């Protein structure tokens, strides 16, 4: 496995691969890797000849400076996990390598970035679009792999690919979960043992939504889940919405539905979703 901090060095290797007609698969991450990330690497490994993983904690997508500061960083362990997963190239650039100048681009995703995460984390998806487009310009992948864990992010990435005319194929990968059902996340490492225990209520809530969906009204379902979370003193409810999978607008009975939730465990913000 080769490790690159520098854009030009990485581009050199990728250019050669492209000349050899190798199919390039790309997995962008912010590091602090866990088996959820590795599942994306494995999917890329199955579908592509050369697998590139980026590790970059992108400052422009953090709306909360404290969240950026405490975001876990475990670079050496990440390299080891990627090596074991037969990743070919890791790109772990500095902030100035990615943003030699301030990125002032403003994307327009219409309603998609005003809802849910977009509403609660203003500017977050603009930052995501900035970094993913920067990385796509550098790596020029044939395929890029994203987790359904970040459901709305996946839709934003698809919208950005369409808007900017990238030729990359976006592949959506299922959510990897802990034995108690909690979605794997780099932020889980920041939870105290008590908060971690309390967080297992999240997947329980999602299952409850699935059970009640179609039997009770959406308002009743939301009220019941809000109450489940209110009873757990270590958790703080931010939102639960049941949305149309195509638009993320509130579900109106047409098409398919997805439940999306955001909850704080102590200071740590956790999200999850489940298609219904
Ligand atoms: P992150 O490092 O949190 O930015 O995540 C990098 C990629 O890994 C994103 O496409 C995430 O959606 C994906 N990912 C994160 N957690 C999981 C998980 N539990 N299962 C599957 N994919 C995940």
């Amino acid at each position: 496995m080769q490790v690159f901090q520098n854009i030009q060095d990485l581009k050199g290797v990728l250019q050669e691969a492209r000349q050899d007609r190798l199919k390039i698969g790309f997995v962008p991450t912010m590091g602090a890797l866990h088996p959820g990330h590795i599942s994306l690497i494995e999917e890329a490994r199955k579908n592509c000849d050369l697998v590139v993983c980026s590790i970059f904690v992108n400052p422009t997508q953090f709306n909360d400076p404290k969240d950026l500061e405490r975001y876990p960083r475990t670079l050496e362990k990440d390299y080891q996990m990627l090596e074991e997963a037969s990743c070919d190239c890791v790109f772990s650039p500095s902030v100035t390598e990615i943003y030699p100048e301030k990125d002032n681009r403003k994307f327009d995703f219409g309603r998609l970035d005003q809802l849910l995460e977009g509403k609660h984390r203003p500017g977050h998806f603009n930052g995501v679009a900035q970094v993913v487009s920067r990385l796509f310009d550098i790596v020029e992948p044939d395929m890029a792999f994203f987790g359904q864990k970040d459901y709305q992010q996946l839709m934003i990435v698809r919208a950005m690919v369409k808007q900017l005319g990238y030729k990359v194929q976006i592949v959506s990968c299922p959510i990897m979960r802990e034995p108690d059902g909690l979605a794997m996340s780099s932020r889980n490492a920041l939870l105290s043992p008590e908060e971690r225990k309390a967080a297992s209520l999240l997947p329980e809530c999602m299952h409850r939504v699935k059970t009640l969906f179609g039997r009770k009204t959406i308002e009743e379902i939301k009220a019941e889940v809000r109450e489940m979370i209110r009873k757990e003193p270590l958790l703080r409810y931010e939102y639960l919405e049941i949305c149309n999978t195509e638009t993320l607008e509130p579900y109106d009975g047409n098409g398919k539905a997805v439940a999306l939730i955001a909850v704080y465990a102590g200071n740590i913000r956790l999200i999850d979703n489940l298609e219904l």
Side-chain angles (χ1 to χ4, degrees), residues 27-37 39-40 61 71 145-151 153 173-177 182-187:
V27 180
T29 80
M30 299 205 297
L33 301 183
H34 52 67
H37 295 113
S39 73
L40 308 190
Q61 73 187 69
Y71 198 84
F145 299 80
F146 291 84
Q148 260 191 48
K149 157 95 192 324
D150 299 278
Y151 199 91
Q153 167 173 287
C173 302
I175 304 177
M176 293 294 126
R177 295 178 178 280
L182 182 67
M184 289 179 177
S185 163
S186 304
R187 287 189 175 86

Side-chain angles (χ1 to χ4, degrees), residues 71-217:
Y71 198 84
R73 289 161 168 89
T74 58
L75 207 49
E76 287 307 319
K77 182 166 165 257
D78 293 350
Y79 291 158
Q80 214 177 322
M81 286 172 77
L82 290 171
E83 175 98 60
E84 280 165 21
S86 305
C87 179
D88 297 300
C89 301
V90 190
F91 180 47
S92 50
S94 65
V95 173
T96 47
E97 187 72 7
I98 295 295
Y99 301 116
E101 287 154 29
K102 193 169 182 298
D103 190 338
N104 290 317
R105 289 176 298 161
K106 289 270 178 281
F107 291 83
D108 181 1
F109 296 113
R111 293 267 302 151
L112 194 55
D113 72 351
Q114 308 294 311
L115 301 159
L116 306 164
E117 290 299 285
K119 183 162 144 199
H120 291 273
R121 301 184 68 190
H124 169 64
F125 287 125
N126 199 66
V128 168
Q130 286 175 342
V131 76
V132 174
S133 68
R134 276 293 283 144
L135 292 168
F136 281 0
D137 288 340
I138 294 164
V139 178
E140 298 181 59
D142 297 289
M143 297 174 89
F145 299 80
F146 291 84
Q148 260 191 48
K149 157 95 192 324
D150 299 278
Y151 199 91
Q152 191 173 9
Q153 167 173 287
L154 196 41
M155 292 173 74
I156 290 279
V157 168
R158 287 192 197 281
M160 183 207 75
V161 163
K162 209 167 173 186
Q163 274 181 26
L164 300 184
Y166 286 112
K167 291 201 176 65
V168 59
Q169 182 187 342
I170 303 298
V171 181
S172 137
C173 302
I175 304 177
M176 293 294 126
R177 295 178 178 280
E178 300 288 352
D180 68 347
L182 182 67
M184 289 179 177
S185 163
S186 304
R187 287 189 175 86
N188 293 353
L190 301 173
L191 298 170
S192 71
E194 296 75 24
E195 289 162 352
R196 171 63 189 82
K197 223 168 154 186
S200 67
L201 193 60
L202 237 82
E204 243 178 78
C205 288
M206 301 316 280
H207 279 112
R208 190 70 192 140
V209 173
K210 192 154 186 163
T211 305
L212 295 178
F213 185 68
R215 297 186 192 175
K216 287 193 173 188
T217 68

Side-chain angles (χ1 to χ4, degrees), residues 2 4 6-19 138:
Q2 286 179 283
F4 301 89
N6 178 292
I7 294 173
Q8 287 321 318
D9 295 345
L10 174 66
K11 275 191 158 181
V13 168
L14 295 177
Q15 202 173 344
E16 271 180 36
R18 235 169 266 119
Q19 277 162 4
I138 294 164

